[in-house]
Amino acid sequence: MPPTLSTIVEEARLAVQSLVEYAGGLVNPTLRLGVTGLTRAGKTVFITALVHNLLNGGRLPVFEALNSGRIARARLEPQPDDAVPRFDYEAHVRALVDERRWPESTRRISELRVVIDYQSANGRARTLTLDIVDYPGEWLLDLPLIGKSFADWSAETLRLSRQGPRAGLAAAWHAHLAALKPESPEDEHAALAAARLFTGYLKACRDERYAMSLLPPGRFLMPGDLAGSPALTFAPLELAATSPAPAGSLWAMMERRYEAYKLVVVRPFFRDHFARLDRQIVLVDALAAFNAGPAALHDLEGALTAILDCFRTGRRSWLSNLFRPRIDRLLFAATKADQLHHVNHDRLERILGRMTERAAGRARFAGAAIDAVALAAVRATREAIVVRGRERLPSIIGVPIAGETAGAGAFDGATEAAMFPGDLPDDPERLFTGPCEGFKGLTTSVAAEADYRFLRVRPPAPETSDRPVLPHIRLDRALQFLLGDHLA
Ligand SMILES: Nc1nc2c(ncn2[C@@H]2O[C@H](COP(=O)(O)OP(=O)(O)OP(=O)(O)O)[C@@H](O)[C@H]2O)c(=O)[nH]1
Ligand SMILES: [Mg+2]
């Protein structure tokens, strides 16, 4: 794609912006960390736990700067961007630590600044400013739309909607689409109906039974203040010809709105937020995908590939025309690993590594480091061996939240239960090619009989009473990868 005037203007703006940020960084180095993941992936819990551990000197043996005593203290400071909501750290800590409940769901971008006073390896007193930006993963998956025409997007979206479980979920929308003539005169009611049915299809795909991940445009699922606006009232069309849309047609109307979506939603997000990130962690609820089955796993792989494509640099692409991402470290993290016995943590990590490896190869990363980790930002379970007759079952124990059900009974939110999540395969390939029917097929006999799915458990009691810190799994590894070199 040749550079257009707007991409050139954006480039220039970004260059000025980076220069200002660079000049500021010479005095006081600042690292902007993007934390993203699809709905319910664990973003809010991750940021809260990360900051809580930093501020309270949590147990983080692999995080070298803290473990060797070089971090003097960490504190919160006012954030730099006045127009972005502050990440409500205090409310989330209150929920997690004081009330032992998970924080409320969030739907918008937010920001938090943490300042770390530390001693460099050669003994100098230094300060690192960490700006954490929390944004919905759905917005990240919109990035590839910038380089895609309405016709290409329509064709791709339709092709995907005819595959696997998606086909059934798209039936109502497909039926409406079959009756639409793209060349017919523009018609607001037809556009509204198509957008409503298309959004219904996207929502059904996201349902936990299907747990699909690749669902752009992101704002159709998270409209925020754009709900009902024309920029969200469009849908793919079945286009036979590649010729330009006839003036005044439904096709031209949909195309115009698709372009408006890119202009008013997608571009500003990338210019104002994404292009300014230095590091990125992508949180993935892989267990939800395992629960839903191989189709969900393949879909997740597709989403991770699309995400990695966003970071593609090197060869001139539509993206490098728009801006040069400066992200030099990208971490994929499978969250909620505390729902598995520890023997499975390495396996989970290998599966995530396998899913991102192919994509990383294709993305031809220019100098950026990528890693994959299985973690639990807040460890809400402990482990035990439960003996059942001759069977010794490696189980996890936690307090299921009130209302969760297993078999005929519902939990009251105060009673502990032992759960047998079963084992992930040692060889990641088996998950993608094997005959297993979702995670159920991988569980132990007891769990399979119970038609097991992961029960949501309450957050744990903090580990010490004088200085409460939240237990975790491998949060320190994530911190070391994301911040370690800046604290050397
Ligand atoms: N066991 C366990 N559950 C977790 C953990 N992190 C998140 N969860 C669960 O996942 C849910 C979603 O976590 P959030 O941090 O709110 O996820 P989010 O990505 O911010 O979600 P949205 O704001 O809705 O997009 C929580 O309510 C918990 O039930 C974890 O480390 N361990
Ligand atoms: Mg959230």
Side-chain angles (χ1 to χ4, degrees):
M1 190 178 78
T4 59
L5 188 59
S6 70
T7 61
I8 292 168
V9 171
E10 254 159 32
E11 278 257 330
R13 284 197 357 195
L14 279 172
V16 171
Q17 194 171 296
S18 343
L19 206 63
V20 171
E21 282 166 12
Y22 176 74
L26 290 178
V27 187
N28 185 9
T30 299
L31 200 61
R32 275 181 89 81
L33 169 66
V35 177
T36 195
L38 301 175
T39 312
R40 314 304 288 153
K43 302 176 289 294
T44 302
V45 172
F46 174 82
I47 297 174
T48 308
L50 182 151
V51 174
H52 194 257
N53 272 279
L54 277 179
L55 299 193
N56 296 291
R59 263 203 275 134
L60 302 163
V62 177
F63 186 36
E64 192 274 327
L66 188 75
N67 198 43
S68 61
R70 292 192 293 105
I71 293 189
R73 76 177 180 135
R75 58 187 193 280
L76 296 178
E77 270 199 1
Q79 66 190 55
D81 298 293
D82 294 333
V84 178
R86 180 176 182 273
F87 180 85
D88 198 354
Y89 170 73
E90 293 76 9
H92 300 321
V93 168
R94 238 184 346 264
L96 273 174
V97 179
D98 302 341
E99 297 162 26
R100 287 188 64 193
R101 61 173 179 81
W102 300 104
E104 303 294 331
S105 184
T106 41
R107 287 285 174 272
R108 53 181 195 176
I109 191 159
S110 67
E111 194 175 74
L112 188 71
R113 170 166 279 192
V114 186
V115 176
I116 304 172
D117 297 322
Y118 71 102
Q119 202 176 46
S120 70
N122 55 18
R124 291 212 184 92
R126 290 263 167 82
T127 297
L128 176 70
T129 302
L130 177 66
D131 286 331
I132 303 176
V133 185
D134 170 14
Y135 66 93
E138 283 80 358
W139 297 7
L140 189 56
L141 288 173
D142 271 351
L143 178 55
L145 298 185
I146 296 179
K148 234 170 254 169
S149 69
F150 176 68
D152 289 345
W153 172 72
S154 281
E156 206 170 275
T157 306
L158 275 167
R159 192 166 6 89
L160 193 63
S161 73
R162 295 191 171 117
Q163 290 170 4
R166 284 177 180 250
L169 303 173
W173 166 50
H174 284 167
H176 179 260
L177 189 67
L180 279 185
K181 291 200 173 50
E183 287 83 4
S184 61
E186 62 177 35
D187 173 353
E188 187 64 49
H189 288 288
L192 278 169
R196 184 173 46 77
L197 290 164
F198 175 57
T199 308
Y201 150 73
L202 293 177
K203 282 196 177 134
C205 289
R206 194 182 61 182
D207 182 283
E208 69 181 35
R209 275 167 302 162
Y210 303 100
M212 297 288 169
S213 308
L214 195 54
L215 302 164
R219 298 290 167 113
F220 278 52
L221 292 173
M222 289 206 195
D225 48 7
L226 284 173
S229 71
L232 296 194
T233 313
F234 64 93
L237 288 175
E238 187 93 66
L239 301 171
T242 48
S243 52
S249 64
L250 181 68
W251 176 1
M253 180 189 192
M254 295 286 207
E255 186 166 65
R256 195 171 62 238
R257 291 177 173 185
Y258 171 80
E259 292 301 330
Y261 180 84
K262 294 194 324 193
L263 198 69
V264 301
V265 174
V266 188
R267 274 177 189 271
F269 165 66
F270 292 110
R271 186 188 56 223
D272 299 340
H273 303 294
F274 183 76
R276 293 167 59 204
L277 298 175
D278 302 299
R279 305 252 153 121
Q280 174 70 54
I281 178 166
V282 178
L283 303 176
V284 182
D285 187 355
L287 299 182
F290 298 156
N291 253 1
L297 262 186
H298 282 289
D299 208 74
L300 179 59
E301 190 185 16
L304 296 179
T305 308
I307 289 173
L308 270 163
D309 275 347
C310 301
F311 300 96
R312 188 204 307 252
T313 50
R315 218 159 28 97
R316 272 184 87 76
S317 64
W318 55 269
L319 196 62
S320 65
N321 274 336
L322 182 62
F323 64 82
R324 318 219 183 288
R326 61 186 197 188
I327 290 171
D328 60 353
R329 281 184 183 218
L330 171 59
L331 182 62
F332 286 98
T335 53
K336 313 180 194 178
D338 58 326
Q339 293 185 316
L340 291 171
H341 196 264
H342 74 267
V343 293
N344 285 288
H345 295 164
D346 286 344
R347 294 177 183 178
L348 180 57
E349 214 159 271
R350 275 204 295 281
I351 293 164
L352 187 68
R354 145 74 173 75
M355 278 197 271
T356 49
E357 179 187 79
R358 285 188 189 176
R362 267 207 300 276
R364 304 206 318 172
F365 246 72
I370 315 176
D371 202 2
V373 63
L375 59 78
V378 172
R379 177 180 201 148
T381 63
R382 59 197 165 81
E383 295 182 349
I385 299 288
V386 172
V387 181
R388 279 259 175 110
R390 290 222 196 111
E391 264 187 307
R392 289 171 60 79
L393 299 167
S395 58
I396 55 166
I397 295 180
V399 180
I401 59 173
E404 285 285 271
T405 52
F411 289 97
D412 60 4
T415 316
E416 275 199 334
M419 294 159 266
F420 318 100
D423 286 328
L424 293 170
D426 205 18
D427 174 12
E429 284 314 315
R430 266 197 52 209
L431 264 188
F432 292 85
T433 54
C436 57
E437 239 277 305
F439 202 58
K440 263 186 280 170
L442 304 167
T443 55
T444 63
S445 53
V446 174
E449 274 165 31
D451 187 17
Y452 185 80
R453 68 184 174 85
F454 295 107
L455 293 176
R456 293 211 297 143
V457 292
R458 287 185 64 188
E463 274 183 344
T464 56
S465 50
D466 54 330
R467 221 177 172 204
V469 283
L470 291 161
H472 64 86
I473 298 170
R474 298 183 181 175
L475 186 62
D476 47 347
R477 249 194 66 189
L479 271 167
Q480 180 63 21
F481 179 79
L482 294 168
L483 305 183
D485 59 331
H486 273 269
L487 295 167

